[in-house]
Amino acid sequence: MNILLTGGAGYIGSHTIVELDKAGHSVVVVDNLVNSSEESLNRVAKIIGKQVPFVKADVRDAVSMNAIFDKYKIDAVINFAGLKAVGESVAKPLEYYENNMNACFVLLNVMRKHNCKNFIFSSSATVYGDPAIIPITEECPKGECTNPYGKTKSMLEEVLIDLQKADPEWNIVLLRYFNPIGAHESGLIGENPNGIPNNLMPYITQTAVGLRKELGVFGNDYDTPDGTGVRDYIHVCDLAAGHVCALQAIDRKCGLAIYNLGTGHGYSVLDVVRAFEKANGVKVPYSIKPRRAGDIATCYCNPAKAKAELGWEAKYGIEEMCRDAWNFQKNNPEGY
């Protein structure tokens, strides 16, 4: 298949290009580079041995998007485009709603115009809110999202469900990610946030490499074994492989399908710090800070449905995730 990756120069997108190429698919990338770097695509080219077609454009720009569909025969779209920092979304709700919602609306309209009706949506475990059941299955009711970022994902899921119901020609897969960390084993591509990281692992690696004085741990009074938040951390290469498997569902005309992509194991913040120190022999100084707005205590999934229907399951453990994340950071101390 010829796959369009929107936001494809980002962390998950760049790793997904590698997995798609490995599986024999062709890839076109569109990205406005607001939260990413074109250098990631140059690094991907080193890994796969060829340059991937890239268009610098905003997905909200219908003229640019129509031009891409006119130029390339696109069979399916994987939508990574969007702002994604939980804390920032609480501070800038309007920007998050405008960006994430409009990008998807423009994209879907352009796809419909070009009769491309195969869509994989980069959703999130945040749609479960404070989850009603742990581990979380796909049958878990969607909760009250605790932040605008999560609300954009949840609302767009509803849009996509309604779209597919109205026009059954659409094949739509909603992939609810848990917490991607790690990097490609080559150390060439990895998580490369702008400014102060919003996610745990790049904060750990930047502290370990000396860019940050210490890791801030937000809250140690949650109802968890050590008081720090518990999450389902998944290796980004496992997550990327999940998108390749999701194309199988598209191939068999799935209609609407929803899958959790996680390991099924919960690790606290301090579990991850200890695993990082053990895997890499590097100390990570940290201090406890107040809880962060929009955070919940525990979130990890039951990934059995993805295994049963897609043949997908996570291969990497927490220490391998920590090892690969550190390998990227120490090879790229200042990022790209």
Side-chain angles (χ1 to χ4, degrees), residues 14 16 24 59 61 66-67 139 144 161 180 182 216 223 281-282 291 317 319:
S14 58
T16 301
V59 178
D61 177 0
N66 275 301
E139 283 68 48
E144 174 58 38
I161 289 166
D223 184 16
V282 181
R291 289 188 184 192
E319 287 187 23

Side-chain angles (χ1 to χ4, degrees), residues 121-144:
F121 181 58
S122 169
S123 192
S124 167
T126 57
V127 302
Y128 294 113
D130 202 344
I133 52 171
I134 296 283
I136 302 165
T137 67
E138 291 82 356
E139 283 68 48
C140 178
K142 284 166 67 170
E144 174 58 38

Side-chain angles (χ1 to χ4, degrees), residues 34-294:
V34 163
N35 275 329
S36 57
S37 166
E38 194 173 350
E39 177 60 22
S40 70
L41 299 177
N42 297 330
R43 305 286 188 90
V44 165
K46 288 181 184 173
I47 295 169
I48 67 175
K50 64 186 178 211
Q51 207 73 38
V52 171
F54 168 61
V55 180
K56 184 183 177 185
D58 194 306
V59 178
R60 294 170 294 177
D61 177 0
V63 173
S64 295
M65 296 308 297
N66 275 301
I68 291 168
F69 277 81
D70 287 340
K71 181 173 181 179
Y72 301 98
K73 173 67 182 81
I74 303 297
D75 299 307
V77 174
I78 302 177
N79 183 30
F80 295 117
L83 300 174
K84 64 182 182 66
V86 168
E88 183 183 62
S89 79
V90 175
K92 298 180 175 180
L94 191 57
E95 285 82 353
Y96 269 68
Y97 287 119
E98 193 280 326
N99 185 91
N100 292 4
M101 305 295 288
N102 280 352
C104 204
F105 295 155
V106 170
L107 179 58
L108 291 167
N109 275 312
V110 171
M111 288 177 68
R112 182 168 58 179
K113 179 181 169 185
H114 289 82
N115 201 35
C116 173
K117 296 183 176 181
N118 297 317
F119 192 71
I120 296 175
F121 181 58
S122 169
S123 192
S124 167
T126 57
V127 302
Y128 294 113
D130 202 344
I133 52 171
I134 296 283
I136 302 165
T137 67
E138 291 82 356
E139 283 68 48
C140 178
K142 284 166 67 170
E144 174 58 38
C145 291
T146 53
N147 56 78
Y149 161 71
K151 287 176 184 172
T152 66
K153 294 296 188 185
S154 185
M155 291 159 72
L156 285 169
E157 282 197 0
E158 297 306 313
V159 169
L160 291 163
I161 289 166
D162 286 344
L163 173 62
Q164 200 282 326
K165 194 184 296 178
D167 181 358
E169 285 185 7
W170 281 86
N171 297 297
I172 294 175
V173 181
L174 309 180
L175 295 180
R176 293 173 177 168
Y177 306 167
F178 282 70
N179 294 64
I181 60 175
H184 190 265
E185 63 183 3
S186 65
L188 287 169
I189 56 174
E191 193 165 6
N192 183 55
N194 293 333
I196 298 172
N198 289 291
N199 295 333
L200 175 63
M201 185 53 73
Y203 215 118
I204 289 176
T205 59
Q206 289 188 11
T207 301
V209 86
L211 290 175
R212 309 276 163 205
K213 181 180 157 215
E214 62 181 12
L215 168 70
V217 176
F218 297 102
N220 66 343
D221 57 351
Y222 287 105
D223 184 16
T224 63
D226 63 17
T228 64
V230 169
R231 298 291 181 270
D232 190 332
Y233 294 96
I234 175 174
H235 197 295
V236 67
C237 292
D238 278 333
L239 182 62
H243 294 76
V244 179
C245 293
L247 287 172
Q248 298 170 19
I250 297 278
D251 231 8
R252 63 172 180 261
K253 308 286 186 211
C254 62
L256 177 79
I258 302 173
Y259 299 102
N260 288 332
L261 293 183
T263 64
H265 300 287
Y267 297 97
S268 74
V269 174
L270 296 183
D271 286 337
V272 177
V273 170
R274 286 188 287 267
F276 184 90
E277 292 178 337
K278 182 181 173 189
N280 301 308
V282 181
K283 290 299 287 180
V284 180
Y286 67 86
S287 66
I288 305 299
K289 309 278 190 191
R291 289 188 184 192
R292 198 166 47 175

